Amino acid sequence: MTPPLPGPAGLDRFTLPNGLRVLLQHQPGIPRAAVSVHYGVGFRSEPPGREGFAHLFEHLMFRGSVSLPGGRFYDHVHRLGSRANGTTHQDYTDYFQVAPAEALEQALFAEADRMRAPLFTEHHLAEQLAGVADEIHGATTDRPYGGLPWPLLPGVLFSRHANAHDGYGDPVTLAKTTIEDCEEFFTAHYAPGNAVLTVVGAAEPDVTRALIERHFGGIPARPHPLPPTLHEPLPTTDRWARYQEPGVSATVLALGHRLPDPERDLSGYLAHAVLAALLNRHGAAALGLPSAAANCGFFGPLDARDPDPLVVTAVLPAGRTPEEVVRAITDRLRTWADDRGLNEAVPRAARLMAVEHERAHADIETRSRALGRLETLFGRAELLEAIPGLIREVRTDQVADAARSLAQQPKAVLVIEPGARRTRPVPVRSNSSGPSSAAVGGTAQAVDAFPRPGALPVPGPGAPLVPGRLPTREVELPGGTRVVAVADRRSPLVELRWRVPLGRAGWRSPGAARERVRARARHIRAAARTEDFGGTLAVAVDGEWLDVSGHAPTGRAADWLTVLAELAPAMLAEHSTLDRPGKPVPPRTPEEELDDRVRAELIAHATVGAGTLIAVGELDPDTVVARAADALEPWSRVREQSAPETARPPYGHDDGAPRESHAVDGAHVRLLLSVMERPVTGAADEAARFLATAAMGGFFGGRLAGRFADRTVAGFEMYTGRDTVCGVPRAFLRGRVPSDALEEAWAGIRAEADRLAAEPFTERELRPVRDFCAAQLLAAFDSPAARADLLRRTVSAGGDAGLPLLLPGLLRAVAAEDVSRAAGRLFLPRAVPAAVH
């Protein structure tokens, strides 16, 4: 048995009189809250004849409740830039929202209302049956190799119906579902005592508890069934199933082994998880396969009760049979069973797994869902904090034992190979009634009127919460590099981002710049060296920037910066000693070609900036800044010694004239209208430009979106945005329209420009745009990684590091007339093309 574990810091738990279990984790200064509700019912609760019902029911739960009928569940989600979804798994179904802290009560009310009184109507049941049927066909019938490994492999590996059946179900059988079936399923499984409510993020625990008691406390308690019996003995012989797929060139297989029960042998389970990581890292190359992947569980580690499998999937090369590949996998496991090659590989794999766990669960949505899942499945939300340490403690001999066990254990093998016709198992159909579902993520829709007692009025949002100010240091190094370090202690990691402009040579040939830097990264083994201490480092190049992104464990940021310092010489094409690689550069897309035309006009007159380094995480800002200065000293010296580059104002600064271009993209044409921006005069000016961009076409309710709403079925896309080209801020309008509608598109753009002059934005029109944009900005504070990404965008564009803290509030305060003026400068050009060139 696994020993008791201490509770995570800041985790408050209590149970309401109706049986609802509640977990609260307060994160001071985070302006958003994640709310999740886990119900202890999944597709393994489905009896014969009801396969797929739990998944269908998850969709129905979004269609309405007594106080939020007809799609009103999403009102607060969309209006405030929040998000909501639900997923169905083997042993649970979860519903989750992430909302601004000011809308926490709305999120809680919405979940309580559908726990109390969902609405089911014939119309919405038919609607969701059609939607689920499309989802099933898209994931299985209409997709090559559909159903591998899930939901086909369980039928090969397991014998008990609960474990073996297809959790998607059969659309023909599901179509017989009635409203009474839905009500019975809700009454049986969606009781408060069969649920866990988790809230992570803003709001003090006492305040949140009062809201929970207000909205959930009055839901009556009722009995619910015990979890289904899942136990079945290990198979005694290998089990094979082979199916055919026309039109494919390769054979693929999925290999399933039974995992240890995590409740009885957590250390053994985690040793198998490390073994799966080793198979992912070394399997394909060692086995001579085009690709191979391994995972604990069909949907991730610790996502289901016992039994659950370790799954290996592989694509077979021509000439190799499934039997040969299965023997090769078994031989690889036997090699590891003898400890060969594990002494260095196991600690490395365990270190990377632990760090990735810590990084992923620094995000409030991921954390909320994980806490609720572990409490629902095992009654131990505390596992979330303990898992990284337990993974790091996994020993080589434990992984060797896991490999030995799998090599000796009978296995299930699912094979899909090229053939003349598609063959798959025929679903078992039965007239028996009961629940059913599939472990799939689904966003649902709405429902009509079936009133039930106990509804409460929908609360409105409270006062907005400003993101907390964390210890921050911002400096400019010699040579111009700006360094921003923020102490955010939600995980024992440091998120690191370095962004530099490509420079003139890179802007002329971004593909060559990408290959040059990647060659340098390979030469110095950048990725492998950062992995050695549990970090990551990745390089990306677009037409404007070169980005180096990654993370490092606390205390190892200096090591990450050392690797970066060795990579830096390749950043400046003018100073690189690397030869251009000989392999061809990938062609540019039509949209990239349009941007390249703009750069071609600006390159000769643009000033090349120095770059930006962002560090966010468990760090001391002063220490990180000092180490960054040391690491980047050679880069800074090169920048200082570079001759000053003179620049004249880019086009558009003098007369506001736009530049239009278009490029053919198959049967469509890509449009680009660019206006180079004048310098921002302050935070309020930035807020006005931000809102103007959204209100014109960056918001789903913007004016351009409204004008072309009825043309989207014809392939119209039209949106506005802002970015940087050759170091110069730009406002742009992009479009993708059918080739025979190019003149119509330009005419519509001209009409919206004329309308903006005649009809400035009103406060009423801007109100939903303000709420949505402010909430979208707050989403960047959901995790240290998201915060680092936002700072990289802000600072590299010339903004102050404190702007993201101010902007959500400014968006709600800036006057409508200021937004209209900003839109006129950005999107009311004086020379919109009157005809297509």
Side-chain angles (χ1 to χ4, degrees), residues 32 77-83 100 690 698-700 769-782 790 793 808 811-812:
R32 305 229 300 170
V77 174
H78 289 157
R79 181 170 62 84
L80 294 175
S82 309
R83 62 180 183 266
F690 195 106
F699 173 65
F700 57 82
V769 188
R770 294 180 195 274
D771 289 342
F772 180 84
C773 290
Q776 287 288 294
L777 281 170
L778 294 179
F781 297 90
D782 285 359
L790 176 62
R793 292 193 300 271
L811 292 178
R812 289 189 167 111

Side-chain angles (χ1 to χ4, degrees), residues 17-278:
N18 59 16
L20 177 66
R21 288 172 286 168
V22 181
L23 305 172
L24 305 179
Q25 192 162 65
H26 179 218
Q27 294 189 343
I30 305 304
R32 305 229 300 170
V35 175
S36 63
V37 180
H38 289 70
Y39 293 92
V41 56
F43 59 79
R44 292 208 289 202
S45 299
E46 300 166 350
R50 287 309 189 101
E51 296 85 353
F53 196 90
H55 177 224
L56 169 65
F57 192 84
E58 173 231 309
H59 279 244
L60 285 168
M61 283 287 282
F62 285 90
R63 298 307 297 160
S65 56
V66 66
S67 298
L68 300 170
R72 285 180 58 200
F73 176 88
Y74 280 115
D75 286 352
H76 71 284
V77 174
H78 289 157
R79 181 170 62 84
L80 294 175
S82 309
R83 62 180 183 266
N85 208 339
T87 57
T88 311
H89 300 245
Q90 287 129 298
D91 303 316
Y92 70 90
T93 303
D94 69 337
Y95 302 87
F96 49 94
Q97 302 183 53
V98 183
E102 65 203 80
L104 173 60
E105 185 172 8
Q106 288 175 284
L108 292 171
F109 172 84
E111 293 296 348
D113 201 56
R114 62 180 175 179
M115 181 184 288
R116 174 189 300 104
L119 295 178
F120 307 117
T121 69
E122 296 289 352
H123 169 73
H124 290 109
L125 175 57
E127 181 183 66
Q128 293 311 302
L129 284 168
V132 167
D134 287 343
E135 183 177 342
I136 293 172
H137 286 303
T140 58
T141 309
D142 300 336
R143 181 170 63 88
Y145 308 113
L148 183 143
W150 189 87
L152 293 179
L153 186 57
V156 187
L157 180 61
F158 299 115
S159 300
R160 185 181 288 274
H161 171 82
N163 304 319
H165 77 270
D166 181 346
Y168 261 130
D170 172 35
V172 175
T173 303
L174 283 172
K176 301 174 184 177
T177 301
T178 67
I179 295 297
E180 291 72 21
D181 296 332
C182 299
E183 293 171 347
E184 290 174 6
F185 186 83
F186 170 78
T187 301
H189 295 287
Y190 277 63
N194 197 33
V196 175
L197 168 65
T198 309
V199 180
V200 173
E204 294 289 340
D206 290 346
V207 175
T208 307
R209 178 167 185 158
L211 293 174
I212 290 169
E213 289 173 342
R214 176 190 175 195
H215 295 295
F216 289 87
I219 301 175
R222 61 179 185 271
H224 56 86
L226 295 173
T229 300
L230 303 175
H231 174 73
E232 61 178 86
L234 290 170
T236 56
T237 60
D238 290 352
R239 299 173 178 176
W240 284 70
R242 303 179 83 124
Y243 304 111
Q244 293 184 354
E245 182 85 42
V248 299
S249 58
T251 297
V252 299
L253 65 80
L255 183 65
H257 294 89
R258 289 274 293 273
L259 285 165
D261 182 351
E263 289 195 272
R264 297 174 180 271
D265 182 14
L266 182 57
S267 61
Y269 183 99
L270 294 177
H272 282 73
V274 173
L275 179 61
L278 293 178

Side-chain angles (χ1 to χ4, degrees), residues 797-818:
D800 184 87
L803 182 60
L805 299 173
L806 300 174
L807 201 51
L810 291 171
L811 292 178
R812 289 189 167 111
V814 64
E817 53 265 31
D818 292 336

Side-chain angles (χ1 to χ4, degrees), residues 685-699 702-704 720-722 731 756 761 766 769 773 811 814-827:
D685 183 26
E686 174 62 27
R689 298 188 195 197
F690 195 106
L691 275 183
T693 305
M696 278 302 294
F699 173 65
R703 288 191 174 185
L704 280 168
T720 53
R722 297 164 68 212
L756 181 62
F761 294 120
L766 288 178
V769 188
C773 290
L811 292 178
V814 64
E817 53 265 31
D818 292 336
V819 178
S820 297
R821 276 194 293 270
R825 291 195 301 269
L826 301 179
F827 303 108

Side-chain angles (χ1 to χ4, degrees), residues 489-553:
R489 307 187 190 284
R490 280 179 280 176
S491 71
L493 302 170
V494 179
E495 296 288 338
L496 293 143
R497 308 285 187 270
W498 195 35
R499 166 171 282 186
V500 292
L502 289 179
R504 291 193 179 90
W507 289 330
R508 290 190 180 96
S509 183
R514 179 189 303 114
E515 292 306 314
R516 181 172 51 252
V517 177
R518 287 180 176 174
R520 176 68 177 176
R522 289 190 296 269
H523 178 71
I524 66 171
R525 298 180 60 252
R529 288 167 60 190
T530 52
E531 284 186 359
D532 285 342
F533 54 78
T536 61
L537 185 148
V539 175
V541 176
D542 60 13
E544 182 69 17
W545 307 102
L546 191 145
D547 287 308
V548 181
S549 304
H551 60 272

Side-chain angles (χ1 to χ4, degrees), residues 516 569-578 635 638-639 641-643:
R516 181 172 51 252
M571 301 298 186
L572 280 178
E574 294 87 346
H575 302 286
S576 176
T577 58
L578 288 172
W635 166 266
V638 169
R639 293 293 312 167
Q641 294 170 356
S642 298

